[in-house]
Amino acid sequence: MQAGIWVWTGFTALILALLALDLGVFNRKVHAISIKEATIWSIVWIIVALLFNVVLYFWAGREAALQFLAGYIIERSLSFDNIFVFVLIFSYFAIPSRYQHRVLFWGILGALVLRAVMIVAGISLINAFHWTIYVFGAFLLYSGYKIALQKGNETMDIEGNPIARLVQKFLPFSPKLAGHRFLTRVDGKLMFTPLLLVLIIVETSDVVFAVDSIPAIFGVTRDPFLVYSSNVFAILGLRAFYFLLAGVIDHFRYLKIGLGFILAFVGLKMLTTGFVDIRTDLSLGVILLVLAISIAASLMIPERKGGPSGSSA
């Protein structure tokens, strides 16, 4: 499909309006997000994404709508990994729940910009050098294998985050939080608060996850508008998704195996481009089936000591 400048302008205006309503109206007051509120907002963001998908269906056709939906589901599925890491980051810095929404809001704003840059760069690279799609496919196979075998959050090193260490080296940080503010004064000196450091770490972790998720969507569609819009709607619902699942995310212990399988499946699809034509509706069916099995297995199979692999802690 061809999305002209007016489509991009209208879509950008829609997203800015939704963000303004979110922070400026519904979440204007700093408060802890309850499970009920998180549930309502999670449903709202899903409905908004599905309504957009309906508009796509009547405007651009069935294939475009299926590609958007597949990309959206892939991104929402991989956002489970984001939630694991967000829980770890907020726990490590002891950030009260009433301030977490503000960090995630600004983190998502930054993610929208960074992902736009990565999507443009990735699609330009594939268009200029078609063989790079096979590189992406091989990378997704490796990522799928790595995620499926990953235990807990062993790959997340908060203290060793190079960006965070660099920022702390050159910017003055106060030792304590100052409410929901990113800037404060200590003895008359302007300083950044630890909340800004948390925001920076959240942003850098999202870039790491985008390295997996964006190539995965390239396996479904390489239309810039579909890739970006599916990313945007998945990211917009991430905050509510976090507050809904933060307390129970550890119970979905087989989900990482499922996510690894999905990445490997998309990687294989990219590697067989030009040889095997896997329809979008079939890809979508595989993704939904794997997610359903992973979640059902997590809920129905009793947890063994040491987790699904049976290894002891």
Side-chain angles (χ1 to χ4, degrees), residues 18-97:
L18 291 173
L19 289 172
L21 281 173
D22 187 348
L23 188 65
V25 179
F26 297 109
N27 291 291
R28 191 172 182 179
K29 182 180 178 182
V30 176
H31 65 288
I33 306 297
S34 66
I35 295 295
K36 179 181 178 181
E37 185 178 356
T39 302
I40 292 172
W41 274 106
S42 293
I43 294 172
V44 166
W45 286 121
I46 291 173
I47 290 174
V48 170
L50 293 179
L51 287 174
F52 181 79
N53 199 34
V54 172
V55 172
L56 268 179
Y57 178 85
F58 288 104
W59 171 54
R62 178 176 180 271
E63 184 63 20
L66 282 174
Q67 290 176 0
F68 169 86
L69 186 59
Y72 173 74
I73 292 174
I74 287 174
E75 184 62 39
R76 283 303 295 262
S77 304
L78 293 174
S79 69
F80 275 91
D81 251 8
N82 294 63
I83 294 174
F84 276 108
V85 173
F86 291 164
V87 170
L88 184 63
I89 293 171
F90 288 136
S91 299
Y92 181 86
F93 287 96
I95 302 299
S97 58

